[in-house]
Amino acid sequence: LLREMLPMLDAIVGNRVRLLTRLPDGPLPVEADIHQVRQLVLNLVLNARDAMPDGGTLQLSLSSEGPVNDERLVLRVEDDGHGIELELQQRIFEPFFTTKPAGAGTGLGLASVRSTVEMHQGHIQVTSAPGRGARFTVILPAQAPAPARQPA
């Protein structure tokens, strides 16, 4: 999926942002809705691009970690943009919260990302500081956990 998206992502980030990728040679299978994962990647890349109005570097990486029976897919989107203040990091996943100027953002992109991650029983982390860019790490189980059993 990520390899298929690269031409579109290159076009979206434009000439002033350099897109670097670190992808595995082969596929890393994960049980997920392909359309939702595509939108998740798009939202994270768009936010990274917008954090670098004067240009910069955006890194997209994908790997797996953990033992074979508990393998996790790790997607990282990193930028060297203006960064996110700590007090704002607590709110960035709230629906309709945005740090963009009026009319420039809906505040739904990161809320949608979090919703998709949680729907797939994963989690998302943000690491950022003003002037030091941001790193969003999405961790998804390679296989969907078995549904919880209901007592009889």
Side-chain angles (χ1 to χ4, degrees), residues 17 43-53 58 77-79 81:
V17 174
N43 282 332
L44 290 174
V45 167
L46 285 169
N47 278 356
R49 178 205 63 192
D50 292 349
M52 301 179 288
L58 188 158
V77 178
E78 302 178 57
D79 66 67

Side-chain angles (χ1 to χ4, degrees), residues 2-4 10 16-17 23-24 28 31 36 42 57 70 80 111 120 131 151:
L2 289 179
R3 288 192 195 288
E4 289 174 17
D10 263 333
R16 296 191 317 189
V17 174
L23 304 176
L28 294 178
E31 286 187 43
Q36 291 177 343
L42 186 58
T57 301
D70 189 27
D80 57 6
H120 289 87

